Amino acid sequence: MARIGFIGVGEISGAMVEGLSDGVAAPPPISLSPRGAATGAALAAKYANVQVRASNQEVADHSDLVVIAVRRADRHDALAGLRIGAGQTIVNVIPGVSADELRGLLGTEADIVAAIPLPTVRERASVTVVYPAHPAAEAFFDRLGGAQPVADATAYNVVSALSSTVSTYLAYLGALADWAARNGVPQEAADRYVRSLFQGVGRSLGEESKPLQAIASEHETPGGSNERIRTTWFDQANAEALGATLDGLLADLEQPH
């Protein structure tokens, strides 16, 4: 069984550790770096397969696959002097840091795979995009809900841009609840209803044979209130503004760093 190491133990690393360990009959051995001490200590106390190591190098020395998950601003300090062998695999989850840059920082010949894990890997409930395709990285994310390799760097950057819309979606739900509260519904009740409403709607996304626009059409009737909100608020100008914002983000992602 492949040994897994995490350098940087924040929210996403914690979610991956939980997804690999919680309720799993044979979880892999996991080493955590001392960065993120409180989170690492809590995970090690909860799961017998998890150990906090004394240094980043000790993590690498006890791992076959090393997940690099430090903050982009900390990458130089966190990775200084780290040695990862050519026979190991590196999964890079630092946004905006290319494989070439990471290879230069580490001075390694190890395979480097970029990935975009989401917090729902905790429940093994989301597919993780990886680039390039790589058997070790795909096997790793298959244990967390599935891996989806993409064909090239442009496709990876497009998906990375899409993943940057999650907090906007959640803020939209928050705005709906706040509107209801301003109009007399108690805030707690408004939050509860909006959560229930969209959790239920979200289950329709499991119908993967249907295009997303077809699912949207199924949730409205001609001349009805759903159609009214969509056509008067999320109109063509609104959709084009969203596309332009994503185009700008994609252009930034494709710039060499």
Side-chain angles (χ1 to χ4, degrees), residues 95-135:
V97 175
S98 69
D100 288 343
E101 179 185 355
L102 190 58
R103 189 176 304 284
L105 286 172
L106 295 171
T108 183
E109 295 301 316
D111 292 341
I112 299 177
V113 182
I116 311 172
L118 301 175
T120 43
V121 293
R122 177 178 283 108
E123 292 84 28
R124 300 180 283 276
S126 64
V127 171
T128 299
V129 169
V130 299
Y131 172 73
H134 189 282

Side-chain angles (χ1 to χ4, degrees), residues 14 28-29 45 61 76 103-104 119 132 136 140 154 168 198 201-202 209 218 224 226 240 252-253:
D61 292 344
H76 295 286
R103 189 176 304 284
F140 173 68
T154 295
T168 302
F198 284 90
V201 170
S209 62
E218 290 177 354
N226 271 276
E240 289 175 357
D252 288 344
L253 291 171

Side-chain angles (χ1 to χ4, degrees), residues 164-187:
S164 300
T165 64
V166 172
S167 66
T168 302
Y169 167 69
L170 295 173
Y172 162 73
L173 301 187
L176 295 180
D178 290 347
W179 175 85
R182 291 196 302 273
N183 284 274
V185 179
Q187 185 74 59

